[in-house]
Amino acid sequence: MKKVIAIVAGGDSSEHDVSLRSAAGIESWIDKELYDVYVVEVSRKEWVAHLPGGELVPVYRHNFTFRDKMNRDVKPDYAYITIHGTPGEDGVLQGYFDLLQIPYSTSNVLVEALTFNKFALNQFLKGFGVKVAESVLVREGQHVEAQQIADKVGLPCFIKPNAGGSSFGVTHCKTLEDVLPAIEKAMKESPEVLIESELKGTEISNGAYRTRANGMRVLPITEVVPKTDFFDYDAKYNGLVEEITPARLSEETTKRVQALTGAIYDLLGASGIIRIDYIISKNAAGDDAINMLEINTTPGMTATSFIPQQVRAAGLEMKDVLNEIIAEKLS
């Protein structure tokens, strides 16, 4: 009998619907000759499985099962997690599946929790020489003054949720008057807010994954040229951006970025496909400096998302890549 794959999507963040779009992309690429595939939509309110024809049935959380159209119990053999935000990108679902001994597509609890917390991740990687922006962390209920923020990170700066998807609650602050309203806005998405100095340069994104069969694969780099002030929700999901793959970087800088992506992947002990975002700025000597922005462990998987673009640019097929990722933990 074919193994059952549950594509776990939705979640509790503002990117719930975006996650469902990623699930549709993944479902279209998974080999139906090898696997039976269901989308499982999770939220605070309920967990439901999408059956063929659009019927929704409850998922029993004590054992992650549901009933199909023939009233038979279905217990997935594998969970492909594509939630952007909690509980799929912060280690919560990973712990749940560990308890049920169900393999999944992402990194483990520790890696997910660390990469979800942008401030903690930056401090960790700084210890290994990775360049990141100067930053300040503000927690809910903590008193802050705009001038203190400006003195620490300078203006302009970026204010964003510390734990959560990066598309919502982000503000590019250019004046002191912008700072406190921006913190309040970000607090609606996360109880902790990250305030980072602005890094000027070229924004890029680089995906990677590792399997026993083929070792480390670092994909071609995508250059991000937003038509908005910065790479916000409209740029990401409403087409207000130019995405160039492979990126217009020198051969030397391309190799350096890809080497750093692979090194960070192995340093974290990551699993599955991850995507690392960077800013390429200029140092005092005029050379390219690589600054890490953040790591996405459940990157978008629509047909136009960065990872599918990079897979195509590498001469690969998404179907083959996903089969390789799934087989890694089902074999």
Side-chain angles (χ1 to χ4, degrees):
M1 294 182 64
K2 290 190 285 188
K3 298 282 190 180
V4 177
I5 306 297
I7 303 172
V8 187
D12 301 330
S13 79
S14 299
E15 294 193 72
H16 179 102
D17 292 345
V18 174
S19 168
L20 292 176
R21 284 151 58 183
S22 287
I26 293 167
E27 185 177 20
S28 73
W29 291 314
I30 292 180
D31 191 342
K32 309 306 188 300
E33 297 293 321
L34 296 177
Y35 306 111
D36 288 328
V37 183
Y38 298 88
V39 172
V40 172
E41 182 179 355
V42 308
S43 67
R44 291 188 183 92
K45 180 181 177 182
E46 61 183 354
W47 291 20
V48 293
H50 294 233
L51 300 185
E55 182 182 355
L56 303 179
V57 297
V59 173
Y60 305 108
R61 303 187 202 187
H62 68 285
N63 62 359
F64 198 59
T65 63
F66 53 90
R67 292 185 179 275
D68 65 12
K69 287 180 175 290
M70 304 295 291
N71 206 33
R72 297 171 298 193
D73 284 334
V74 178
K75 183 178 178 64
D77 300 289
Y78 181 95
Y80 198 107
I81 301 172
T82 188
I83 291 173
H84 310 315
T86 189
E89 203 173 9
D90 57 358
V92 174
L93 273 182
Q94 286 77 10
Y96 167 78
F97 287 126
D98 283 342
L99 288 172
L100 295 179
Q101 298 184 335
I102 297 174
Y104 47 85
S105 58
T106 68
S107 303
N108 62 28
V109 173
L110 176 60
V111 175
E112 293 297 317
L114 177 60
T115 54
F116 194 66
N117 188 308
K118 298 178 180 71
F119 184 79
L121 174 67
N122 285 359
Q123 304 315 304
F124 173 75
L125 291 178
K126 275 173 66 176
F128 293 91
V130 177
K131 290 182 172 61
V132 297
E134 186 70 42
S135 62
V136 174
L137 183 69
V138 176
R139 293 187 171 91
E140 192 172 32
Q142 180 180 345
H143 175 73
V144 294
E145 295 181 5
Q147 188 61 56
Q148 291 177 323
I149 300 298
D151 290 344
K152 176 67 174 178
V153 303
L155 290 172
C157 67
F158 282 95
I159 297 182
K160 63 181 74 172
N162 184 49
S166 61
S167 297
F168 288 90
V170 183
T171 303
H172 185 202
C173 292
K174 300 177 181 178
T175 69
L176 279 178
E177 290 72 27
D178 295 334
V179 171
L180 296 183
I183 292 174
E184 184 177 348
K185 176 183 175 181
M187 283 286 180
K188 294 178 181 178
E189 299 291 330
S190 168
E192 294 183 339
V193 171
L194 181 66
I195 305 170
E196 292 183 315
S197 60
E198 180 184 47
L199 294 170
K200 293 185 180 295
T202 301
E203 185 166 352
I204 61 171
S205 191
N206 191 204
Y209 64 97
R210 176 187 285 283
T211 61
R212 289 188 299 273
N214 291 301
M216 173 67 72
R217 287 190 186 270
V218 180
L219 299 170
I221 300 166
T222 298
E223 180 180 345
V224 183
V225 186
K227 298 175 184 177
T228 53
D229 184 38
F230 64 97
F231 192 48
D232 60 2
Y233 182 89
D234 278 337
K236 186 179 290 187
Y237 298 117
N238 293 330
L240 299 180
V241 64
E242 183 181 5
E243 298 165 3
I244 303 167
T245 308
R248 297 170 298 184
L249 301 174
S250 70
E251 182 178 354
E252 179 190 3
T253 299
T254 296
K255 289 180 178 179
R256 288 172 57 210
V257 170
Q258 291 176 320
L260 180 57
T261 296
I264 291 174
Y265 190 106
D266 285 341
L267 180 63
L268 292 170
S271 295
I273 302 171
I274 73 168
R275 197 192 77 225
I276 306 181
D277 298 335
Y278 303 95
I279 289 282
I280 305 299
S281 60
K282 295 292 185 182
N283 61 22
D287 299 321
D288 286 344
I290 305 168
N291 308 276
M292 194 209 72
L293 291 179
E294 60 181 63
I295 297 177
N296 191 323
T297 59
T298 60
M301 286 296 214
T302 66
T304 59
S305 295
F306 290 154
I307 293 298
Q309 287 184 48
Q310 294 173 12
V311 166
R312 290 192 296 270
L316 304 172
E317 297 289 338
M318 282 301 303
K319 178 180 178 180
D320 297 330
V321 171
L322 293 187
N323 283 344
E324 193 178 331
I325 295 294
I326 293 168
E328 175 75 1
K329 294 183 181 178
L330 273 182
S331 57

